[in-house]
Amino acid sequence: MGCADNRGADVYANRISIYYGAAFLSVGFWERAYAGEIFYHIPDRGMPCYACALGEGTELSARVQANHHVYSNQENIEGVRFEPGISVDINFITCIGVKLCLDILNMTEPGYRPRLLNDLKQYTLVCNTSDPEIGGEMVEIFSYPLQVTTSLKVGFHSEKCTGQCRYEIKDH
């Protein structure tokens, strides 16, 4: 599981998982945990890895890039308001990630019935609020609070990937 505070670390963690032939799951949070994202990669299934799907970690801006313990990208942390309930927002998204992780770990077990793996896409966004005063303009991508997306599809981001993860090709 990749649960780093930045995309670059998740790219690196996914590369390590590919090297060892292991599945990878990342759970990350956007500003003040108003939303989060869940991404998984299962090797040898023709899926783009984190870097192939989302880039090397610097192109997307909704997820906080730096390690800020207050989950904010504001320079002046003294001006950041206390956010009651942020741990509940983090837990909501994390619980979805844990359920998906259990599905991935058990997907080859006879008789196991997946809870989420058959319904969620490789990249899932989870919304904790649709209030622009909390999430800014990006919150408008969500239709309602507590939305779990089921329609997002990722493809191969780089021309170096031609229908198969370039890191899987290198390591074989």
Side-chain angles (χ1 to χ4, degrees):
M1 270 193 88
C3 299
D5 279 346
N6 61 65
R7 291 181 185 281
D10 281 345
V11 167
Y12 185 69
N14 192 191
R15 285 184 193 160
I16 292 170
S17 75
I18 291 167
Y19 180 81
Y20 287 104
F24 172 78
L25 184 121
S26 167
V27 178
F29 298 93
W30 292 6
E31 177 77 11
R32 295 189 181 120
Y34 82 84
E37 58 189 35
I38 300 167
F39 177 90
Y40 66 89
H41 172 257
I42 302 169
D44 301 318
R45 294 230 177 150
M47 297 177 147
C49 71
Y50 196 98
C52 292
L54 301 173
E56 294 295 326
T58 57
E59 291 87 2
L60 301 172
S61 62
R63 186 166 157 201
V64 175
Q65 290 296 323
N67 181 5
H68 291 283
H69 298 290
V70 293
Y71 289 94
S72 175
N73 62 8
Q74 292 183 16
E75 297 277 333
N76 178 7
I77 61 169
E78 284 129 21
V80 175
R81 293 182 323 241
F82 173 70
E83 297 284 339
I86 199 165
S87 125
V88 173
D89 291 338
I90 292 168
N91 289 339
F92 176 63
I93 295 165
T94 301
C95 284
I96 295 169
V98 168
K99 287 178 67 119
L100 190 55
C101 182
L102 291 171
D103 282 354
I104 291 169
L105 289 171
N106 288 292
M107 68 185 172
T108 59
E109 289 296 317
Y112 181 78
R113 299 198 42 96
R115 292 355 184 231
L116 298 177
L117 188 58
N118 296 336
D119 297 307
L120 296 184
K121 300 293 185 197
Q122 187 181 4
Y123 182 66
T124 300
L125 294 179
V126 181
C127 169
N128 279 315
T129 182
S130 57
D131 185 345
E133 287 189 31
I134 297 171
E137 290 179 15
M138 282 295 291
V139 81
E140 294 175 4
I141 66 172
F142 299 106
S143 302
Y144 52 88
L146 305 180
Q147 178 180 357
V148 178
T149 62
T150 57
S151 61
L152 296 176
K153 290 184 181 180
V154 291
F156 290 93
H157 179 77
S158 170
E159 57 278 346
K160 295 177 186 174
C161 303
T162 55
Q164 186 175 6
C165 168
R166 68 179 182 231
Y167 298 109
E168 286 185 14
I169 294 168
K170 267 198 244 180
D171 292 332
H172 284 89

